[in-house]
Short mmCIF file of all heavy atoms in Angstrom, two decimals:
data_model
loop_
_atom_site.label_atom_id
_atom_site.label_comp_id
_atom_site.label_asym_id
_atom_site.label_seq_id
_atom_site.Cartn_x
_atom_site.Cartn_y
_atom_site.Cartn_z
N ALA E 11 81.78 108.58 122.13
CA ALA E 11 82.01 109.87 122.71
C ALA E 11 82.88 110.75 121.85
O ALA E 11 83.11 111.91 122.24
CB ALA E 11 82.58 109.59 124.09
N GLN E 12 83.15 110.36 120.62
CA GLN E 12 84.03 111.19 119.78
C GLN E 12 83.33 111.46 118.47
O GLN E 12 82.72 110.65 117.91
CB GLN E 12 85.42 110.52 119.58
CG GLN E 12 86.18 110.24 120.90
CD GLN E 12 86.71 111.55 121.57
OE1 GLN E 12 87.01 112.47 120.87
NE2 GLN E 12 86.69 111.46 122.86
N PHE E 13 83.70 112.67 117.98
CA PHE E 13 83.32 112.87 116.61
C PHE E 13 84.15 111.95 115.61
O PHE E 13 85.38 112.01 115.82
CB PHE E 13 83.47 114.37 116.09
CG PHE E 13 82.46 115.31 116.69
CD1 PHE E 13 82.61 115.91 117.86
CD2 PHE E 13 81.28 115.42 116.05
CE1 PHE E 13 81.66 116.82 118.39
CE2 PHE E 13 80.19 116.35 116.42
CZ PHE E 13 80.48 117.02 117.68
N ILE E 14 83.56 111.37 114.55
CA ILE E 14 84.37 110.69 113.64
C ILE E 14 83.84 110.95 112.18
O ILE E 14 82.73 111.25 112.00
CB ILE E 14 84.35 109.15 113.87
CG1 ILE E 14 83.07 108.52 113.68
CG2 ILE E 14 84.98 108.81 115.33
CD1 ILE E 14 82.97 107.00 113.72
N TRP E 15 84.78 110.86 111.29
CA TRP E 15 84.32 110.84 109.84
C TRP E 15 83.95 109.41 109.43
O TRP E 15 84.83 108.58 109.30
CB TRP E 15 85.48 111.36 108.96
CG TRP E 15 85.96 112.83 109.26
CD1 TRP E 15 86.88 113.35 110.10
CD2 TRP E 15 85.37 113.92 108.62
NE1 TRP E 15 86.96 114.60 109.98
CE2 TRP E 15 86.02 115.08 109.07
CE3 TRP E 15 84.40 114.05 107.55
CZ2 TRP E 15 85.70 116.31 108.72
CZ3 TRP E 15 84.00 115.37 107.12
CH2 TRP E 15 84.68 116.47 107.61
N SER E 16 82.66 109.26 109.24
CA SER E 16 82.18 107.95 108.81
C SER E 16 80.85 108.18 108.24
O SER E 16 79.93 108.66 108.83
CB SER E 16 82.07 106.96 110.12
OG SER E 16 81.46 105.80 109.60
N THR E 17 80.66 107.86 106.93
CA THR E 17 79.59 108.35 106.10
C THR E 17 79.19 107.27 105.01
O THR E 17 79.92 107.13 104.08
CB THR E 17 79.92 109.67 105.41
OG1 THR E 17 80.45 110.64 106.27
CG2 THR E 17 78.66 110.24 104.75
N SER E 18 78.17 106.50 105.38
CA SER E 18 77.78 105.44 104.53
C SER E 18 76.29 105.29 104.28
O SER E 18 75.54 105.74 105.14
CB SER E 18 78.25 103.98 105.00
OG SER E 18 79.67 104.14 105.28
N THR E 19 75.85 104.59 103.27
CA THR E 19 74.55 104.08 103.14
C THR E 19 74.42 102.66 102.81
O THR E 19 75.51 102.10 102.49
CB THR E 19 73.76 105.00 101.98
OG1 THR E 19 72.42 104.78 102.11
CG2 THR E 19 74.28 104.64 100.67
N SER E 20 73.25 102.05 102.98
CA SER E 20 73.07 100.68 102.76
C SER E 20 73.47 99.79 103.95
O SER E 20 74.73 99.68 104.20
CB SER E 20 73.72 100.07 101.61
OG SER E 20 73.25 98.81 101.12
N ASP E 21 72.58 99.37 104.80
CA ASP E 21 72.79 98.64 106.01
C ASP E 21 73.66 97.48 105.78
O ASP E 21 73.45 96.63 104.95
CB ASP E 21 71.49 98.33 106.73
CG ASP E 21 70.70 99.51 107.27
OD1 ASP E 21 71.31 100.66 107.27
OD2 ASP E 21 69.61 99.40 107.67
N ARG E 22 74.72 97.25 106.64
CA ARG E 22 75.62 96.11 106.60
C ARG E 22 76.34 95.97 105.31
O ARG E 22 76.90 94.89 104.96
CB ARG E 22 74.76 94.80 107.05
CG ARG E 22 74.23 94.88 108.45
CD ARG E 22 73.34 93.73 108.70
NE ARG E 22 72.25 93.66 107.86
CZ ARG E 22 71.01 94.47 107.93
NH1 ARG E 22 71.02 95.18 108.95
NH2 ARG E 22 70.12 94.38 107.20
N ASP E 23 76.20 96.90 104.38
CA ASP E 23 76.93 96.87 103.14
C ASP E 23 77.31 98.36 102.79
O ASP E 23 76.77 98.91 101.76
CB ASP E 23 76.00 96.21 102.09
CG ASP E 23 76.63 96.06 100.73
OD1 ASP E 23 77.82 96.00 100.70
OD2 ASP E 23 75.86 96.26 99.70
N PRO E 24 78.24 98.87 103.57
CA PRO E 24 78.39 100.35 103.46
C PRO E 24 79.00 100.78 102.16
O PRO E 24 79.94 100.29 101.66
CB PRO E 24 79.39 100.58 104.50
CG PRO E 24 80.11 99.24 104.87
CD PRO E 24 79.02 98.22 104.59
N HIS E 25 78.25 101.80 101.58
CA HIS E 25 78.60 102.41 100.32
C HIS E 25 78.82 103.89 100.60
O HIS E 25 78.13 104.47 101.28
CB HIS E 25 77.50 102.32 99.30
CG HIS E 25 77.36 100.98 98.69
ND1 HIS E 25 77.11 99.85 99.38
CD2 HIS E 25 77.46 100.57 97.39
CE1 HIS E 25 76.96 98.81 98.58
NE2 HIS E 25 77.23 99.25 97.26
N ALA E 26 80.02 104.45 100.05
CA ALA E 26 80.24 105.81 100.22
C ALA E 26 79.34 106.68 99.41
O ALA E 26 78.75 106.13 98.44
CB ALA E 26 81.67 106.10 99.80
N ILE E 27 79.23 107.87 99.69
CA ILE E 27 78.21 108.86 99.08
C ILE E 27 78.80 109.68 98.05
O ILE E 27 79.81 110.34 98.32
CB ILE E 27 77.45 109.69 100.05
CG1 ILE E 27 76.92 108.87 101.27
CG2 ILE E 27 76.42 110.49 99.44
CD1 ILE E 27 75.87 107.88 100.79
N TYR E 28 78.19 109.61 96.86
CA TYR E 28 78.79 110.57 95.80
C TYR E 28 77.70 111.30 95.00
O TYR E 28 76.54 110.89 95.07
CB TYR E 28 79.38 109.62 94.61
CG TYR E 28 80.78 109.07 95.11
CD1 TYR E 28 80.78 107.82 95.91
CD2 TYR E 28 81.99 109.68 94.90
CE1 TYR E 28 82.03 107.35 96.28
CE2 TYR E 28 83.17 109.16 95.26
CZ TYR E 28 83.20 108.04 95.94
OH TYR E 28 84.44 107.53 96.46
N ALA E 29 78.07 112.35 94.37
CA ALA E 29 77.06 113.12 93.51
C ALA E 29 77.91 113.61 92.27
O ALA E 29 79.01 114.10 92.44
CB ALA E 29 76.56 114.38 94.37
N ASP E 30 77.29 113.54 91.15
CA ASP E 30 77.88 113.92 89.89
C ASP E 30 77.23 115.20 89.42
O ASP E 30 75.96 115.43 89.41
CB ASP E 30 77.68 112.96 88.81
CG ASP E 30 78.47 111.66 89.00
OD1 ASP E 30 79.22 111.61 89.95
OD2 ASP E 30 78.27 110.63 88.33
N PHE E 31 78.08 116.21 89.07
CA PHE E 31 77.67 117.53 88.53
C PHE E 31 78.19 117.70 87.18
O PHE E 31 79.43 117.78 87.04
CB PHE E 31 78.01 118.61 89.48
CG PHE E 31 77.56 118.46 90.84
CD1 PHE E 31 78.51 117.92 91.89
CD2 PHE E 31 76.34 118.90 91.34
CE1 PHE E 31 78.07 117.83 93.18
CE2 PHE E 31 75.93 118.78 92.63
CZ PHE E 31 76.72 118.18 93.56
N SER E 32 77.30 117.80 86.16
CA SER E 32 77.79 117.95 84.78
C SER E 32 78.20 119.34 84.39
O SER E 32 78.76 119.56 83.33
CB SER E 32 76.79 117.36 83.83
OG SER E 32 75.62 118.07 83.90
N GLN E 33 77.67 120.31 85.15
CA GLN E 33 77.94 121.72 84.83
C GLN E 33 78.05 122.56 86.03
O GLN E 33 77.49 122.21 87.11
CB GLN E 33 76.92 122.21 83.78
CG GLN E 33 75.52 122.33 84.38
CD GLN E 33 74.52 122.82 83.32
OE1 GLN E 33 74.91 123.20 82.26
NE2 GLN E 33 73.21 122.86 83.68
N ALA E 34 78.77 123.72 85.99
CA ALA E 34 78.87 124.56 87.04
C ALA E 34 77.38 125.17 87.42
O ALA E 34 76.65 125.29 86.44
CB ALA E 34 79.88 125.61 86.69
N GLY E 35 77.27 125.48 88.56
CA GLY E 35 75.97 126.09 88.93
C GLY E 35 75.74 125.98 90.51
O GLY E 35 76.61 125.51 91.22
#
């Protein structure tokens, strides 16, 4: 019933989400 910060991928093996940006844009 509450909003929570919880963000994962891979079922039953939670991995946090990342993105790499090599240059501005």
Side-chain angles (χ1 to χ4, degrees):
Q12 300 293 325
F13 283 96
I14 66 170
W15 293 93
S16 177
T17 311
S18 301
T19 194
S20 192
D21 292 351
R22 298 173 297 280
D23 184 28
H25 285 60
I27 307 298
Y28 287 86
D30 291 353
F31 303 95
S32 63
Q33 62 182 358

